[in-house]
Amino acid sequence: MAHLASSASATLLYLHWISAGAKHWGKLFPGSSVRFGTNSLVCSRFRRNGFRFVASGTAGRNGGVVAMSEGETLQRMFTWPDKKKPRVCILGGGFGGLYTALRLESLTWPADKKPQVLLVDQSERFVFKPMLYELLSGEVDAWEIAPRFLDLLASTGVQFFQDRVKSLHPSDHLGMQGLTGSTCGGTVLLESGLHVEYDWLVLALGAEAKLDVVPGALEFALPFSNLEDASMVDNKLKALERKNFAKHSIISVAVVGCGYAGVELAATIAERLQDRGTVQAINVETTICPTAPPGNREAALKVLTSRKVQLLLGYFVRSIRRVGDGEASTGLTEGEEVHDMEAEPNSDKYILELQPAERGLQSQILEADLVLWTVGSKPLLPTLEPGNRLHELPLNARGQAETDETLRVKGHPRIFALGDSSALRDSNGRLLPATAQVAFQQADFTGWNLWAAINGRPLLPFRFQNLGEMMTLGRNDAALSPSFIEGLTLDGPIGHTARKIAYLIRLPTDEHRLKVGISWFTKSAIDSVASLQNTLSKVLSGP
């Protein structure tokens, strides 16, 4: 239970909350106290000195928020349920962050050492990103690959807050433990204005698409890296399909990048559009998926060729622009009406200028109804305060935190970093790729090393084990190359089934795995029956 100060300034703060239009504060604030039950939603809106703060999230057990006001200074502190137990704050709820929290929950702890865990993420849902492509093909439902954090953590002691990170205030530089007599590792400031004091911090904030490297990409290209991106791309495709259905015109989609993401996206969209659209995939390399196993690359090339995906290899995009009112478009006929953007969001066409990256190629101009961007990403690490250089995190050129082999940030023994937030090299000196497989394994080690650090045990060095690579190529097509059998590639329906089973096993909780497994089995059975009926009808109606 958290108590509001009984001063006049606290009363004024309370009135600010009421005046901002919060609907349920009467229930949460019966008198002068704030109560938060397990997984209860916390929402507060208030204004102070012209700034507007919004906080939303969940506080498990008896955790809550303390709001204090001294003159013009307003500070809101998150209160941990237990003042004696270690406090672990995990920033980011992707593969690294969520799976670290679940790993901590699964370990055996001494009664007085089990940490209190707070997970902070800007979204209310965990997203199983490798299966975002199945949303476009209609193979999965959103709840299957994007469950709510509240549902996943309902049976655990992990608390969850939906918020964004604004800045970090570490106090553990070079082994310092903060204030005298304190084990505090620092403080996190959230964008809502909430301060979270921690003993141990985990940075697993992931990355976002980097669109500002090419003129026009930020304005006109769509990324494909999270649930919101997938939903937007799906809506754009639906709008194009509706608009072009009566006209019998061809939908043109340009995919920038032919790494795994670009190839999977191109194959999925080509299968969805079939003869109603064309897909052009652009890559600066002269091959697709240059780092993929040969078997995966060959399977992908076979599928892309069969679906008539045009590969423009050895090119980079110089600029993207929208077709102007006075600029001719090969997709427009004379007298064709220009629709309102709000009513028809896909009425625009875009021009891509391609510059050759290899000798012997000519510059090209492409026109597309939809431009999808899968090249480049930037980590979402927050800034640090104060500005003293001794407190700064060591970052590489890509903006990732430099860590030692135990995944602790160099110079900050109480901060761990993993996934896209971490810059860690393998035994050959190569930077580990920012893939789901790496984040899975790092989460396991981070959870264990937090256990070891809290219990005074030696930390384990992280060693990545490449288990193989997988890619989806459509509703009933995929490629899988396990690392433990050299030269073996499972593709087609077999690869598709193997990939779905592998990802089903990796879903975050047993309960969610069971629900999704039943759903997938039911859909598969229905599809099989429909296919059988279709085959029988063709046989019976034949000559």
Side-chain angles (χ1 to χ4, degrees), residues 51-74:
F51 294 94
R52 180 172 181 269
F53 301 90
V54 179
S56 64
T58 61
R61 306 301 183 262
N62 294 318
V65 178
V66 171
M68 297 170 290
S69 177
E70 294 183 6
E72 292 299 311
T73 302
L74 180 65

Side-chain angles (χ1 to χ4, degrees), residues 40-305:
S40 61
L41 185 64
V42 182
C43 294
S44 62
R45 299 175 181 267
F46 55 92
R47 293 181 182 271
R48 186 72 169 177
N49 295 334
F51 294 94
R52 180 172 181 269
F53 301 90
V54 179
S56 64
T58 61
R61 306 301 183 262
N62 294 318
V65 178
V66 171
M68 297 170 290
S69 177
E70 294 183 6
E72 292 299 311
T73 302
L74 180 65
Q75 184 173 346
R76 299 167 54 249
M77 295 294 298
F78 175 75
T79 56
W80 296 85
D82 194 311
K83 295 182 179 180
K84 296 182 179 180
K85 291 185 178 180
R87 302 164 297 179
V88 177
C89 181
I90 301 176
L91 303 180
F95 292 119
L98 176 64
Y99 285 65
T100 295
L102 295 175
R103 174 63 167 157
L104 288 172
E105 186 74 12
S106 69
L107 294 171
T108 301
W109 296 86
D112 61 336
K113 291 291 185 67
K114 184 174 182 180
Q116 307 162 88
V117 180
L118 175 66
L119 178 65
V120 179
D121 193 88
Q122 63 185 11
S123 173
E124 69 170 346
R125 294 178 180 272
F126 162 75
V127 181
F128 200 94
K129 290 186 177 182
M131 300 196 75
L132 280 175
Y133 310 95
E134 278 83 342
L135 285 178
L136 297 184
S137 65
E139 192 174 350
V140 302
D141 297 321
W143 70 267
E144 295 171 343
I145 64 166
R148 298 168 68 242
F149 284 110
L150 291 182
D151 296 331
L152 294 175
L153 301 174
S155 60
T156 72
V158 178
Q159 303 174 70
F160 172 71
F161 248 80
Q162 184 183 347
D163 209 332
R164 293 176 181 268
V165 182
K166 183 177 181 181
S167 62
L168 304 180
H169 304 250
S171 58
D172 65 340
H173 181 69
L174 297 179
M176 294 180 61
Q177 303 299 316
L179 300 176
T180 303
S182 171
T183 61
C184 175
T187 304
V188 174
L189 173 61
L190 305 180
E191 285 193 357
S192 62
L194 185 67
H195 293 255
V196 180
E197 195 176 63
Y198 64 84
D199 298 317
W200 306 91
L201 182 67
V202 177
L203 300 176
L205 289 161
E208 64 180 4
K210 192 173 183 179
L211 296 170
D212 55 359
V213 294
V214 171
L218 186 62
E219 295 85 357
F220 306 126
L222 296 181
F224 195 83
S225 60
N226 56 44
L227 185 62
E228 290 74 20
D229 294 339
S231 178
M232 182 173 293
V233 172
D234 185 47
N235 290 336
K236 292 281 188 179
L237 286 172
K238 288 178 179 176
L240 284 168
E241 289 165 341
R242 288 194 301 267
K243 186 186 76 169
N244 291 16
F245 178 75
K247 301 177 184 178
H248 301 289
S249 57
I250 299 298
I251 300 169
S252 177
V253 179
V255 178
V256 182
C258 288
Y260 268 116
V263 168
E264 290 176 297
L265 197 54
T268 301
I269 293 178
E271 181 186 51
R272 171 171 170 165
L273 296 179
Q274 297 184 11
D275 58 354
R276 294 175 289 111
T278 61
V279 178
Q280 296 170 305
I282 306 153
N283 200 37
V284 69
E285 302 279 353
T286 56
T287 183
I288 66 169
C289 302
T291 61
N296 279 12
R297 190 183 310 116
E298 293 170 6
L301 278 172
K302 180 181 177 181
V303 169
L304 294 177
T305 301

Side-chain angles (χ1 to χ4, degrees), residues 470-482:
M470 301 183 290
M471 62 191 309
T472 182
L473 297 169
R475 285 187 63 90
N476 200 34
D477 214 331
L480 186 156
S481 295

Side-chain angles (χ1 to χ4, degrees), residues 340-358:
D340 180 76
M341 279 296 295
E342 293 297 326
E344 191 60 77
N346 293 85
S347 60
D348 288 321
K349 287 184 177 291
Y350 305 97
I351 299 296
L352 292 82
E353 296 185 23
L354 304 187
Q355 189 77 19
E358 298 287 333

